[in-house]
Amino acid sequence: STKWASYGMFYKYQPLDLIRKYFGEKIGLYFAWLGVYTQLLIPASTVGVIVFLYGCATVDENIPSMEMCDHRSNITMCPLCDQTCSYWKLSTTCATARASHLFDNPATVFFSIFMALWAAMFLEHWKRCQMRLNYKWDLTGFEEEEVSDHPRPEYEAKILSKVLKKESKNKETEKEKLTWKDRSPAYLTNIVGILFMIGLTFAIVFGVILYRISTAAAMAVSSDPYTKDNVRVIVTATAVIINLVVILILDEVYGSIARWLTQIEVPKTDKSFEERLIFKAFLLKFVNAYTPIFYVAFFKGRFTGRPGKYMYIFRSMRMEECAPGGCLMELCIQLSIIMLGKQLIQNNLFEIGIPKLKKLIRYLKLKREVKLEPDSNYKKPQQYEADYNLEPFAGLTPEYMEMIIQFGFVTLFVASFPLAPLFALLNNVIEIRLDAKKFTTELRRPNAAKAKDIGIWYNILRGIGKLAVIINAFVISFTSDFIPRLVFMYLYSPDGTLHGFTNNTLSYFNVSHFEAGSEPREAMALGYKVEICRYKDYREPPWSPEAYDVSKEFWSVLAARLAFVIIFQNLVMFMSDFVDWLIPDIPKEISERISKEKLLMVDLFLKEEQTKQQIVEESLKGTAIPLLVLIAPLVYGLGLLFILPF
């Protein structure tokens, strides 16, 4: 604990051989995987920082943000809510527009492709490291079925109760097994329970959406000018904090529910139990952690309608819109707060604070017992007694789960937050030593268990890597303004630059066309009467014969977005599969050693067979005549017995 579990040793490699000898191969592979993951976050963090610095260096040259910050343009925007909200100037979103460029710039596309390839290379690198450890730890010929096929006590008890119900006590229980009919109530409970939990998550996210809409409308009529100017930032920050608190609470609830649902299934083996538990817990926690982010990325601002014909919730609450610069900045805020808050509070504070608190409670309880028995001769507890008072080992599922969810934050929405790998790296440097300290000082020593790999977690990682390609393609295409800018430059710009892009993305609306009761109460809030306001969309102007219909440019941008998704997805998938094919799963030196060992084993067996054959031949040479003397009468007698009956 003074070496490996010391935070001051963060720059040193882990003693994996000693970890394996003390805790077993299963825990040794976890720390090996965590070390490889953390090590490979270094290049991802470096590239992410470079992309962020590129955005910082080019923010003053970004034409769309310069146009939004130009006070001389005098662009009047339509109200963000009915009645209570008033008209506002586009230049008030200057800070948001400049901040969006830090993450929404041409380098973002390159970084998304890089991270997709990084995920593929990480999995390939881990397979090679895993093979090296298997060879080093003599696990190449080990099959997990050798130790994982034994039925669990709960399964045997269920079988025994089934046999007793049939009143066939003499029947062997090994021939009995749970059928689909026996498991159907548990399966039905699992399906209903999981769907209910997912529905609960959606309902909570919907509740936060209502909070955002109502709070924005209430703050719009505030007398405080600072509050009115920062409505969007305040509402976004508070809503994300609410989401974070709910995620932390539901994570603990979903973990317990997943275990209970798995227990009522009564899986046959420990391996089957663990895999089913992992799948349920991951599904629930994945939905819990990413649903608010999915909403901001793909749904917010998509179904708002237009001025004069907005979409409403409960017929009174207007759907919220994205900022004129897009929802990418809000997505970045949402992702960063949830990721950092989850790592700081759940992964570190809970892992440090809760074990320390339980240890303090046990110490106070022991001290109180000593005070209640003053005549007793208090003796310092032996080491085995102190070890028994530690927390029992609950398995590696929580440790893997927090890292897998973090891997999702790093890869799924990396197009909106290039600094995610850097924060993951900083967290994992502490996480390795934190887990080491927990295993050596806070938990009872677990029973050593053999394992060749990390099990179902590898398939989950692979699935997240494939999903990340699709999600990042849609984030770049539909959430950011990357595609609309390209379409404008090559099809609509008079000089092939982005000059005029902001004005091109804003449509016109005649304020006299507001629905009755939805027009702003303070029509003169800007000091003049507004006749035309602007809103972000591609629609025909009110003086057009097809007023407020989607324009041809809308269909051009939509076609370009869909084309980009298809090209990006297939290109990156092909490159990832090519990397997978190019890098062999087994290192060359390991495969050569294994082949050499097999040849040596074959040679050894051949030599042993030759030696045995020589011994037999020599023994037969010395005893050939006595054997004939003994065998001849026996053969003659058998022949007579066979012939006489005929």
Side-chain angles (χ1 to χ4, degrees):
S1 61
T2 58
K3 297 286 185 181
W4 172 47
S6 174
Y7 294 108
M9 301 293 177
F10 70 92
Y11 58 92
K12 291 190 175 182
Y13 287 104
Q14 301 180 85
L16 295 178
D17 292 334
L18 296 178
I19 297 170
R20 172 246 179 176
K21 288 180 180 178
Y22 189 76
F23 292 110
E25 287 80 2
K26 195 169 186 178
I27 295 177
L29 283 173
Y30 163 71
F31 281 103
W33 173 83
L34 184 56
V36 171
Y37 172 46
T38 304
Q39 185 180 13
L40 287 184
L41 279 173
I42 296 175
S45 304
T46 304
V47 178
V49 171
I50 292 173
V51 170
F52 178 74
L53 293 178
Y54 171 81
C56 295
T58 58
V59 67
D60 293 330
E61 302 172 2
N62 184 38
I63 296 174
S65 61
M66 290 170 60
E67 291 178 345
M68 288 187 185
C69 295
D70 188 4
H71 296 276
R72 298 170 298 176
S73 60
N74 198 29
I75 297 178
T76 303
M77 303 296 294
C78 296
L80 296 174
C81 62
D82 292 345
Q83 296 184 340
T84 56
C85 298
S86 183
Y87 304 105
W88 53 286
K89 294 288 187 180
L90 180 63
S91 57
T92 57
T93 62
C94 176
T96 305
R98 289 174 61 86
S100 297
H101 179 72
L102 303 180
F103 307 99
D104 187 8
N105 54 68
T108 304
V109 180
F110 160 76
F111 189 57
S112 299
I113 297 174
F114 171 81
M115 287 303 296
L117 297 178
W118 173 87
M121 292 186 68
F122 161 61
L123 295 176
E124 291 303 311
H125 182 60
W126 165 244
K127 283 195 292 187
R128 291 168 64 84
C129 292
Q130 185 175 257
M131 193 62 203
R132 285 193 176 95
L133 291 175
N134 283 341
Y135 178 78
K136 190 176 182 181
W137 293 349
D138 196 22
L139 295 172
T140 51
F142 171 72
E143 296 295 335
E144 291 193 23
E145 286 74 13
E146 298 173 7
V147 294
S148 61
D149 277 345
H150 302 292
R152 299 173 65 244
E154 293 83 355
Y155 181 84
E156 292 183 333
K158 189 81 173 177
I159 291 293
L160 183 60
S161 64
K162 180 182 177 182
V163 171
L164 293 175
K165 284 180 182 179
K166 290 182 177 181
E167 297 181 353
S168 54
K169 298 181 181 180
N170 297 327
K171 190 175 181 179
E172 293 183 5
T173 59
E174 292 182 0
K175 295 181 180 179
E176 286 285 347
K177 62 181 180 179
L178 297 181
T179 61
W180 172 259
K181 185 178 179 181
D182 299 323
R183 295 182 183 271
S184 56
Y187 287 153
L188 183 62
T189 305
N190 271 259
I191 294 171
V192 173
I194 291 173
L195 291 177
F196 176 78
M197 292 298 110
I198 293 175
L200 176 63
T201 303
F202 290 163
I204 291 173
V205 172
F206 181 72
V208 175
I209 294 171
L210 297 181
Y211 161 81
R212 295 162 66 109
I213 296 172
S214 58
T215 305
M219 293 178 66
V221 297
S222 175
S223 58
D224 184 8
Y226 177 81
T227 302
K228 293 185 71 173
D229 294 340
N230 297 277
V231 170
R232 197 182 295 274
V233 175
I234 294 172
V235 170
T236 300
T238 54
V240 173
I241 292 172
I242 293 172
N243 277 324
L244 175 62
V245 173
V246 171
I247 287 171
L248 294 176
I249 294 172
L250 289 183
D251 263 356
E252 301 301 320
V253 175
Y254 287 167
S256 302
I257 290 175
R259 181 169 290 276
W260 176 73
L261 291 174
T262 309
Q263 287 173 346
I264 64 175
E265 279 189 66
V266 195
K268 183 177 181 180
T269 62
D270 287 331
K271 183 180 179 182
S272 176
F273 179 88
E274 186 178 15
E275 289 180 350
R276 296 186 185 194
L277 172 62
I278 289 170
F279 176 76
K280 294 181 183 65
F282 173 74
L283 178 62
L284 293 175
K285 293 189 177 185
F286 182 89
V287 173
N288 183 39
Y290 297 115
T291 299
I293 302 173
F294 270 96
Y295 164 72
V296 175
F298 303 120
F299 296 99
K300 184 179 178 182
R302 309 293 176 194
F303 310 101
T304 57
R306 61 169 179 83
K309 198 175 181 180
Y310 283 114
M311 300 288 292
Y312 292 89
I313 302 175
F314 304 133
R315 298 184 180 180
S316 60
M317 305 180 73
R318 202 174 95 189
M319 292 291 291
E320 56 182 344
E321 304 175 32
C322 290
C327 279
L328 195 70
M329 187 61 201
E330 188 172 341
L331 176 62
C332 175
I333 295 172
Q334 184 104 4
L335 180 63
S336 59
I337 292 179
I338 291 178
M339 177 182 176
L340 297 179
K342 197 168 168 40
Q343 289 183 169
L344 179 64
I345 297 174
Q346 187 179 43
N347 297 356
N348 293 330
L349 188 61
F350 281 6
E351 288 191 19
I352 297 174
I354 291 179
K356 293 291 183 185
L357 182 61
K358 290 182 178 179
K359 193 174 182 179
L360 178 62
I361 292 173
R362 288 194 299 269
Y363 172 75
L364 294 176
K365 185 178 179 181
L366 181 61
K367 193 174 180 181
R368 184 183 177 186
E369 291 176 354
V370 172
K371 286 184 178 180
L372 292 175
E373 301 177 3
D375 297 333
S376 62
N377 296 323
Y378 175 73
K379 295 181 180 180
K380 184 178 179 180
Q382 298 293 326
Q383 184 63 45
Y384 65 87
E385 294 176 323
D387 291 342
Y388 182 77
N389 289 328
L390 297 175
E391 282 293 304
F393 177 66
L396 287 171
T397 300
E399 311 301 332
Y400 273 113
M401 187 67 70
E402 65 184 69
M403 290 295 103
I404 297 297
I405 296 296
Q406 182 203 86
F407 181 78
F409 284 124
V410 169
T411 55
L412 290 179
F413 297 94
V414 73
S416 64
F417 190 38
L419 295 179
L422 175 63
F423 290 113
L425 173 64
L426 297 176
N427 174 81
N428 289 5
V429 168
I430 301 173
E431 181 72 21
I432 292 175
R433 308 301 162 176
L434 177 63
D435 285 347
K437 201 171 192 65
K438 182 170 67 174
F439 272 83
T440 53
T441 62
E442 305 294 340
L443 298 176
R444 296 177 194 168
R445 181 182 177 183
N447 295 326
K450 277 194 171 186
K452 289 186 67 174
D453 49 40
I454 60 175
I456 194 176
W457 295 112
Y458 178 82
N459 296 328
I460 293 175
L461 285 168
R462 192 174 181 84
I464 291 176
K466 299 293 184 183
L467 184 62
V469 178
I470 302 172
I471 290 179
N472 281 303
F474 277 94
V475 168
I476 295 171
S477 183
F478 287 90
T479 309
S480 76
D481 281 338
F482 177 75
I483 299 301
R485 290 173 184 174
L486 287 180
V487 172
F488 176 78
M489 285 177 60
Y490 291 105
L491 295 181
Y492 299 99
S493 175
D495 55 358
T497 65
L498 287 174
H499 287 288
F501 171 76
T502 301
N503 185 65
N504 181 260
T505 59
L506 299 176
S507 298
Y508 294 87
F509 179 74
N510 192 330
V511 298
S512 62
H513 296 164
F514 272 122
E515 292 181 346
S518 64
E519 64 274 4
R521 294 170 185 171
E522 300 180 10
M524 300 290 291
L526 297 178
Y528 56 88
K529 186 179 180 180
V530 177
E531 296 181 355
I532 298 292
C533 65
R534 310 290 295 275
Y535 60 100
K536 188 176 177 64
D537 206 346
Y538 293 102
R539 292 183 180 271
E540 297 292 342
W543 53 82
S544 171
E546 301 174 348
Y548 306 125
D549 287 346
V550 292
S551 62
K552 293 180 180 179
E553 190 171 352
F554 169 83
W555 298 110
S556 300
V557 172
L558 179 61
R561 282 173 165 167
L562 294 175
F564 176 83
V565 169
I566 295 172
I567 295 172
F568 182 91
Q569 176 184 337
N570 286 280
L571 177 63
V572 177
M573 287 284 191
F574 170 77
M575 295 172 68
S576 300
D577 292 339
F578 179 73
V579 169
D580 191 359
W581 171 80
L582 188 64
I583 302 175
D585 295 345
I586 303 176
K588 186 177 180 180
E589 67 273 13
I590 299 298
S591 60
E592 289 177 352
R593 289 180 185 177
I594 293 175
S595 300
K596 188 175 181 180
E597 288 179 358
K598 288 181 178 179
L599 291 175
L600 291 174
M601 290 292 292
V602 170
D603 291 340
L604 180 62
F605 287 144
L606 289 175
K607 288 180 180 179
E608 288 183 354
E609 289 297 327
Q610 290 176 358
T611 304
K612 290 180 181 179
Q613 188 175 0
Q614 290 176 359
I615 293 173
V616 171
E617 289 177 354
E618 291 177 358
S619 61
L620 288 174
K621 286 179 181 179
T623 58
I625 296 174
L627 284 174
L628 289 173
V629 173
L630 293 173
I631 292 173
L634 182 61
V635 173
Y636 179 74
L638 291 173
L640 290 176
L641 290 174
F642 181 75
I643 295 171
L644 287 175
F646 300 98

